[in-house]
Amino acid sequence: MRLTFRNIVIGAVVLAGVGAAGYQLSQPEMVPVDLAAVSRGPLEVTVNADGMTRIKDVYEVSAPVSGQVLRTPVRIGDAVVAGETVVARIEPGEPAFLDQRARAQAEAAVAQAEAAKLLAEASARAAEADLDNAQRQFDRIYALHERGAASDAQMDAAEVALDVAAAQFDSAQATQRMRESELSAARAVLIEPTARESGDGAAANCCIALTAPVSGQVLSITNESARMVAAGTPLVTIGPRGDLEITVDLLSTDAVRIAPGAKAYVERWGGPDALAATVTEIEPAAFTKISALGIEEQRVKVLLDFTTPPEDRPSLGHNFRVYLRIVEWRGDDVLTLPISALFREDGDWAVFVVDEGMARLQPVEIGQRNTEIAEVLGGLDEGQQVITHPSDKVEEGVLVVDRTTLE
C-alpha cells in the first residue's frame, strides 16, 4: 500500500488527539470550590427577635360619669395640648320610656303628691292663723302686764304660746315645701325622651367637657359616634409620640445572655438605615407564650430606649413592628472564618484548608459565632484559605481549584 503525504498528516493528527485524550484521562480530577480567607476583624454576636414600639406614658381618658357622649371633637393623629384641647363632651342621658303600667303608677304618684300638697297648704294656713292669734294674745297680755293688770305667770304663758305657734307655723311651711318638691319629683317621672339638639346647641348645653391630660397626639378613639356610656368607659388614648421605647419578648434562654446597657440595632422599621437602641430593663419574671407551632415557650419582656434622635425617625409611631439585633458579645480584633466552612467531624468542628492545591482536613476550635462568621480559637492561622460549602466530592487529598478562576 502506497502512503501519500495526505495520509501521513491525517495519521499524525489522529495520534496527537489520542495522546492528548490519554494524557487528560491520566490526570487527577480537580474539584471547583469556593474559597475564603481566615482573617482578623470585629465580631458581634447578637440575639435577634421581632419587637414592637410603644409610647412610654400612654394616657387613657375615660368617662367620669354615666351619660351621653357626643361625637368626638378630635381625630386620630390630632395634636392636643394639656388642659386646653377638648377631647370629649358628655351630657346627661335621656329618661327612660314608660310602659302603660309604669305611666299609670307615675300618674297616680302625681295625684297623691298633689293631694299631699293641698293638705300641707291647709295645715300652713291653719298654723298661720294660730300664730296670728297667739301674737294678738301676747300683745294684749303684755299691755296689761305693763299696767300691772296681768301677772307674771300670765305673761310667761302668753310668751310660750307665741313661741309654740311660731314653731308650728315654721313646721307647716317646711312640710308644704317638702310636698311641693315631692310633687315636682313625681311629675319628673312623666318626662318623655325628646330629640336632642344638634350642632352648636348640643355643645352649648353640654355638662362636662373633658380636656387632654397631657400634650401629645391622639393615638386611638374607642368610638367616634355619639352614644350612651357608663362611668369608667374608655374614650380616647393620648400620648407624646416622640417618647418611644421598644418592647420585645425574648426566650428566657436568650434573655439571660444579655444585660441592661447592651447595644442593639433596630432594623426593618421602614427607614433606609438601622437605628440604635440600648437595653434599659429586663423584667425579672417570665411568662408562658404559645408559639406559631403550638409549643409552650417561656418568654421574658425586655425594654429598650432609642439612642437615635427623634428627628431621624419621624415616621415611627406607637405599636410599630421592628426587627432587633441585641449585641450579646463583641470583639474588635478577632480571628474569624465564615461559618459556612464549618462542619462536624467525629463530634468536633473541622474545615477543609487548601494546601498547595489540595484539600486538607483540619480540626478547628471555635469560640463565639453569629449567623455568618465564627471566632477561631485554634487550629488555623490568619491568611489560610478554607473551603466554604464543601460538597461531597471534597475530601482529604483531593485536588481543588478556585471556582472564580474558571469563569
Side-chain angles (χ1 to χ4, degrees):
M1 182 176 179
R2 186 179 177 182
L3 296 174
T4 64
F5 178 75
R6 182 172 178 272
N7 292 335
I8 293 174
V9 173
I10 294 174
V13 172
V14 171
L15 289 175
V18 172
Y23 176 79
Q24 290 293 334
L25 292 175
S26 65
Q27 294 299 311
E29 180 184 4
M30 300 187 71
V31 180
V33 294
D34 297 314
L35 299 179
V38 178
S39 60
R40 285 192 172 274
L43 172 62
E44 285 185 339
V45 180
T46 61
V47 176
N48 304 335
D50 288 320
M52 192 83 69
T53 63
R54 71 179 186 185
I55 293 176
K56 288 183 179 181
D57 296 317
V58 176
Y59 293 80
E60 187 175 71
V61 180
S62 301
V65 294
S66 299
Q68 173 85 358
V69 175
L70 303 181
R71 187 169 181 83
T72 176
V74 293
R75 296 292 181 267
I76 295 176
D78 287 355
V80 296
V81 179
E84 296 182 10
T85 307
V86 176
V87 297
R89 293 187 175 94
I90 304 176
E91 62 182 18
E94 290 284 4
F97 282 104
L98 296 177
D99 56 24
Q100 186 175 359
R101 181 174 63 181
R103 175 167 291 280
Q105 291 174 338
E107 290 174 348
V110 170
Q112 182 180 0
E114 289 176 343
K117 178 176 175 292
L118 293 176
L119 180 61
E121 290 174 348
S123 298
R125 289 194 298 271
E128 184 179 9
D130 290 341
L131 178 61
D132 291 341
N133 181 58
Q135 183 67 50
R136 287 192 298 271
Q137 292 294 331
F138 176 80
D139 293 341
R140 188 164 41 251
I141 296 299
Y142 180 80
L144 293 174
H145 184 269
E146 288 295 321
R147 295 195 300 269
S151 64
D152 291 340
Q154 288 176 317
M155 182 64 188
D156 293 340
E159 187 175 357
V160 170
L162 178 61
D163 292 340
V164 171
Q168 290 177 344
F169 177 71
D170 291 340
S171 176
Q173 283 190 320
T175 301
Q176 181 180 354
R177 289 193 297 270
M178 181 178 66
R179 300 307 180 190
E180 290 173 350
S181 300
E182 290 176 349
L183 177 59
S184 299
R187 287 173 175 170
V189 177
L190 292 172
I191 297 176
E192 293 282 358
T194 57
R196 287 189 176 274
E197 250 186 295
S198 59
D200 295 338
N205 296 328
C206 181
C207 293
I208 298 178
L210 303 180
T211 58
V214 65
S215 297
Q217 284 184 299
V218 178
L219 303 178
S220 65
I221 298 174
T222 304
N223 194 322
E224 294 184 356
S225 300
R227 67 199 188 281
M228 292 295 298
V229 296
T233 301
L235 303 177
V236 181
T237 303
I238 300 171
R241 185 173 178 176
D243 191 16
L244 284 178
E245 66 179 0
I246 307 171
T247 174
V248 57
D249 297 337
L250 295 181
L251 290 171
S252 58
T253 52
D254 290 336
V256 297
R257 305 196 329 250
I258 61 176
K263 180 181 177 181
Y265 302 99
V266 183
E267 301 173 344
R268 304 179 196 173
W269 62 277
D273 301 319
L275 305 177
T278 56
V279 176
T280 57
E281 182 181 353
I282 302 172
E283 293 191 352
F287 59 92
T288 302
K289 185 176 182 179
I290 306 299
S291 70
L293 300 177
I295 301 173
E296 286 190 357
E297 298 174 339
Q298 291 303 111
R299 295 273 179 171
V300 178
K301 190 172 293 296
V302 178
L303 303 179
L304 302 94
D305 274 349
F306 282 100
T307 54
T308 301
E311 54 268 22
D312 293 339
R313 45 180 174 87
S315 58
L316 204 59
H318 185 61
N319 280 346
F320 282 34
R321 183 171 294 279
V322 295
Y323 182 77
L324 290 171
R325 294 194 300 112
I326 305 174
V327 178
E328 170 194 344
W329 181 89
R330 176 182 172 85
D332 294 324
D333 186 21
V334 181
L335 187 64
T336 62
L337 83 165
I339 203 168
S340 59
L342 293 168
F343 57 89
R344 286 289 188 176
E345 181 70 21
D346 297 331
D348 296 323
W349 290 112
V351 297
F352 280 114
V353 298
V354 179
D355 184 15
E356 296 181 354
M358 300 180 66
R360 298 296 185 188
L361 183 65
Q362 177 63 47
V364 62
E365 185 180 354
I366 297 301
Q368 299 288 343
R369 63 182 185 273
N370 56 27
T371 57
E372 297 179 357
I373 59 177
E375 178 188 16
V376 178
L377 299 180
L380 294 173
D381 295 323
E382 184 179 1
Q384 283 188 282
Q385 296 286 321
V386 295
I387 299 174
T388 60
H389 304 99
S391 66
D392 295 338
K393 294 181 179 181
V394 179
E395 57 185 19
E396 176 72 24
V398 170
L399 291 175
V400 295
V401 61
D402 189 353
R403 195 186 306 276
T404 59
T405 62
L406 302 178
E407 298 177 354

